[in-house]
Amino acid sequence: LKRQRKGTNNSNNSTRRIEVIDEVFEVAEMLHDLLFPLQNCGKEVMATQSAIFAMCENWWHGNFDDKELFVTQLIPLLLVKSLEDTAQKND
């Protein structure tokens, strides 16, 4: 993921974005990067993967800086999950 520099003004977005400290961004980035590897780990990690999904969604809805970086793996995985035979109605 490539993070925008602080102080960069995004003229395409009139809504104010919420800045986060670098350490929080780095943890969120590491968790986001685990989404695809966790896909192959079986049912044991489904709760962890769901928690990371929720974190990415909350980052997006919370309008935090660089929110678009946290959907690059989220959207394809949610689509795959929704198409699986074991998908639940809320998937």
Side-chain angles (χ1 to χ4, degrees):
L1 301 176
K2 185 168 176 141
R3 188 166 189 202
Q4 290 182 354
R5 293 280 179 215
K6 288 183 180 177
T8 302
N9 187 5
N10 187 349
S11 60
N12 294 335
N13 187 356
S14 60
T15 305
R16 186 180 181 301
R17 296 249 177 126
I18 300 169
E19 287 187 28
V20 295
I21 60 173
D22 290 339
E23 291 82 0
V24 172
F25 178 83
E26 289 169 11
V27 170
E29 180 181 26
M30 285 187 274
L31 290 171
H32 174 263
D33 290 345
L34 288 174
L35 283 174
F36 270 115
L38 287 175
Q39 186 68 15
N40 299 320
C41 292
K43 294 181 180 182
E44 298 82 22
V45 298
M46 287 179 68
T48 302
Q49 193 177 41
S50 291
I52 298 171
F53 285 156
M55 185 239 10
C56 292
E57 288 181 71
N58 288 329
W59 196 285
W60 178 266
H61 291 295
N63 207 34
F64 293 104
D65 275 347
D66 303 310
K67 68 181 189 176
E68 57 280 342
L69 299 178
F70 292 104
V71 296
T72 58
Q73 293 185 41
L74 177 66
I75 291 174
L77 283 173
L78 288 175
L79 180 60
V80 167
K81 186 175 178 174
S82 71
L83 296 173
E84 292 176 349
D85 293 334
T86 58
Q88 297 179 7
K89 193 174 187 176
N90 62 347
D91 289 341

